[in-house]
């Protein structure tokens, strides 16, 4: 992974993001970043299924910490953040005995 590479999963707005902190000599950023990117892609699939797109955009993006650990950032619009909070509030308020599974 070179400094010029970009996250191929740039999203509808065309914005790309790669990175986190400064790169330190001798630290392998590629493998942790690829793991973070895979997690971000998976999370973006769920966020899209929740309707967090367009004006209510929330996206996960891969990056790294100063010590080379992969990290996933959430980035979005204020309305997207509010909508995500509402979804999470509904999930946490659900009756724990309501597994939704039937049997």
């Amino acid at each position: 992974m070179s400094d010029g590479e970009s996250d191929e999963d740039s999203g509808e707005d065309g914005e790309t993001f790669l990175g986190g902190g400064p790169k330190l000599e001798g630290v392998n950023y590629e493998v942790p970043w690829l793991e973070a990117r895979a997690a971000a892609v998976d999370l973006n699939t769920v966020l899209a299924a929740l309707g967090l797109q367009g004006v209510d955009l929330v996206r996960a993006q891969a990056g790294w910490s100063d010590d080379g650990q992969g990290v996933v950032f959430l980035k979005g619009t204020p309305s997207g953040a509010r909508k995500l909070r509402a979804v999470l509030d509904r999930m946490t308020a659900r009756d724990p005995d309501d597994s939704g599974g039937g049997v």
Side-chain angles (χ1 to χ4, degrees):
M1 177 171 60
S2 70
D3 288 333
E5 286 187 53
S6 65
D7 187 345
E8 295 172 16
D9 186 34
S10 61
E12 297 173 355
D13 60 2
E15 184 176 344
T16 59
F17 181 82
L18 173 66
K23 286 186 172 181
L24 302 175
E25 181 115 8
V27 176
N28 177 5
Y29 295 93
E30 185 171 7
V31 171
W33 181 80
L34 288 171
E35 290 175 13
R37 183 171 185 268
V41 167
D42 289 344
L43 184 54
N44 284 331
T45 300
V46 173
L47 292 169
L50 293 172
L52 295 165
Q53 302 173 357
V55 71
D56 292 329
L57 178 71
V58 176
R59 297 247 331 135
Q61 295 179 318
W64 61 79
S65 62
D66 290 345
D67 64 355
Q69 297 295 312
V71 295
V72 176
F73 299 96
L74 283 181
K75 180 178 175 180
T77 63
S79 64
R82 286 187 204 94
K83 185 171 182 176
L84 178 58
R85 179 180 184 258
V87 168
L88 295 173
D89 279 346
R90 284 192 305 272
M91 290 175 67
T92 59
R94 208 175 61 170
D95 182 353
D97 292 331
D98 179 21
S99 64
V103 192

